[in-house]
Amino acid sequence: MSTDATTFESNFSAESYYATQSPPPSLEHDVRNVRDFVRKHVNAGRNVVLVTSGGTTVPLELNVVRFLDNFSAGTRGATSAEYFLKAGYAVIFMHRQFSLQPFSRHYSHSTHPFLDFLEIEKDDNHSSARINVTEKERAPLLEVLTAYKSAHTAGLLHTLNFVTVNDYLWLLRAVSQELAVLGRRALYYLAAAVSDFFLPRQKMSEHKIQSGKGSLHIEMDQVPKILKPLVSEWTQGQAFIVSFKLETDPSLLVPKARQALARYGHQVVIGNDLHTRKHQVIFVSPSPGLDNEYVETWVRIDPSQDLTKEVEEDIVAELVHRHRAWIETSPTS
Ligand code: PAZ
């Protein structure tokens, strides 16, 4: 570990985080592209959603060999992005590099490899060959491909990627500053699984941590709670903000969601349990006009009834409805 580790201030506010941790090298370039995307959709009068998706890593070394990671595959974010596009939103899809993406998620290399549904048709003298899609796969592929091409042709989907929790924090702040021009028409759908702990660069070993000295002790710092400045400073209380809360003990979902709403003052926390997250979630939101009162609504699907139904379809439909109401209650609308 570096020598100034003992003297380094380690209780991070959002402000001290950004003052001491370095931005990713691609930040300026990413922000310019987001600005162009946002400008185009502001001019078109379209609502824009920022979907964050996938897990962040926590590097243990500056020349990174080892890092901590989490389970998230990015299914929630990638699936939801498709439903937001269907609902007419322009989507900024900010995702963990190599995690699932809208449209291509249907052809994941591990669960549905595309080579398995292509077939080779040789001509009679075997001098040339054509590639066909198998009969069974043709209709679903056509549907996915049509939606994909139409989103891209219309410039409705912009993707950005992150790897580390540091990349994520810098990108989120920068993107939110670009989205501020949308006021109430911006929706935040924060489905990424973001690490709660990290190792500040001032405490990291420059080179690969060496073995041979017995067990390894690493003390991590808490990642600052950036929902607070996101809600009150970066979006100035205008945007409709939805955060997710994952737990493995289902009895914690509602109290933790309420606590987050009371602390950060945003609109919705969607609670989900690790094992049932693909079939049910709970929406927790402040009760209108009543301090410290909350409304809880379950959104559930029954996979035994319909294997193709995705819970994200109902989550997004409910949020689109709430976001519309939020825009309509604007003092200037
Ligand atoms: O990416 P995935 O579909 O495998 O999982 C989605 C999820 C559980 C990461 C997401 O729904 C969520 O709860 N995100 C926030 C996690 C948290 O920081 O509590």
Side-chain angles (χ1 to χ4, degrees):
M1 303 281 148
S2 70
T3 47
D4 56 357
T6 48
T7 53
F8 184 72
E9 172 61 65
S10 64
N11 193 7
F12 286 93
S13 61
E15 211 172 40
S16 61
Y17 183 92
Y18 291 107
T20 57
Q21 307 303 302
S22 312
S26 59
L27 187 69
E28 275 187 28
H29 170 261
D30 287 344
V31 171
R32 266 199 305 277
N33 290 339
V34 168
R35 188 170 305 147
D36 292 344
F37 181 82
V38 170
R39 190 177 303 130
K40 177 173 141 186
H41 294 294
V42 169
N43 292 340
R46 208 169 269 122
N47 297 340
V48 179
V49 60
L50 171 69
V51 175
T52 71
S53 182
T56 60
T57 68
V58 178
L60 301 185
E61 298 127 342
L62 288 173
N63 289 287
V64 53
V65 173
R66 301 186 182 92
F67 54 88
L68 297 185
D69 204 350
N70 66 55
F71 71 96
S72 171
T75 312
R76 175 83 79 223
T79 309
S80 305
E82 286 180 26
Y83 288 109
F84 278 118
L85 286 165
K86 244 187 201 165
Y89 278 70
V91 177
I92 299 176
F93 185 66
M94 184 176 134
H95 70 105
R96 162 75 178 277
Q97 186 184 43
F98 308 132
S99 65
L100 292 177
Q101 294 202 43
F103 308 113
S104 65
R105 73 177 172 103
H106 297 276
Y107 301 100
S108 143
H109 62 278
S110 51
T111 56
H112 194 193
F114 77 93
L115 289 178
D116 286 358
F117 61 81
L118 298 180
E119 53 193 17
I120 301 168
E121 185 187 299
K122 294 223 166 93
D123 72 359
D124 288 346
N125 58 16
H126 289 243
S127 60
S128 64
R130 283 158 48 104
I131 295 170
N132 287 331
V133 175
T134 56
E135 179 68 39
K136 181 171 162 275
E137 296 285 352
R138 220 166 284 161
L141 175 61
L142 187 61
E143 193 183 330
V144 172
L145 195 58
T146 306
Y148 170 80
K149 294 283 183 196
S150 121
H152 280 274
T153 310
L156 289 170
L157 178 61
H158 182 73
T159 55
L160 286 172
N161 64 61
F162 58 82
V163 176
T164 66
V165 62
N166 185 57
D167 298 343
Y168 174 90
L169 293 173
W170 278 98
L171 263 180
L172 181 63
R173 186 175 75 158
V175 172
S176 71
Q177 287 160 349
E178 297 304 322
L179 285 175
V181 291
L182 281 148
R184 291 199 165 216
R185 285 197 285 121
L187 170 59
Y188 287 71
Y189 186 83
L190 305 176
V194 182
S195 173
D196 287 324
F197 302 99
F198 80 113
L199 201 54
R201 54 180 297 107
Q202 292 79 356
K203 287 187 177 177
M204 276 189 214
S205 159
E206 183 183 353
H207 294 291
K208 182 183 166 204
I209 298 169
Q210 296 297 307
S211 61
K213 293 184 188 153
S215 50
L216 174 66
H217 296 268
I218 296 176
E219 186 179 272
M220 296 203 164
D221 289 70
Q222 216 180 322
V223 169
K225 303 289 183 198
I226 42 88
L227 261 177
K228 185 89 186 152
L230 175 71
V231 174
S232 54
E233 293 168 36
W234 309 339
T235 63
Q236 293 174 1
Q238 293 294 300
F240 191 85
I241 299 183
V242 181
S243 68
F244 278 78
K245 169 81 39 207
L246 175 79
E247 292 297 340
T248 54
D249 173 354
S251 72
L252 293 178
L253 275 181
V254 171
K256 291 292 212 88
R258 289 177 171 196
Q259 191 183 65
L261 291 169
R263 272 193 192 148
Y264 310 125
H266 57 305
Q267 285 67 43
V268 185
V269 176
I270 300 182
N272 52 174
D273 168 71
L274 182 66
H275 305 292
T276 58
R277 70 188 193 281
K278 295 196 193 270
H279 311 137
Q280 60 175 38
V281 301
I282 186 165
F283 277 51
V284 184
S285 45
S287 193
L290 297 172
D291 281 350
N292 305 318
E293 298 280 336
Y294 300 91
V295 185
E296 280 123 33
T297 318
W298 282 99
V299 174
R300 290 193 171 98
I301 58 163
D302 180 354
S304 68
Q305 295 295 311
D306 178 1
L307 267 177
T308 62
K309 173 80 183 175
E310 296 172 310
V311 70
E312 288 79 8
E313 182 177 3
D314 294 349
I315 297 175
V316 170
E318 177 62 26
L319 290 176
V320 167
H321 171 74
R322 293 190 188 199
H323 186 210
R324 197 169 297 140
W326 172 254
I327 295 169
E328 281 163 10
T329 57
S330 159
T332 55
S333 72

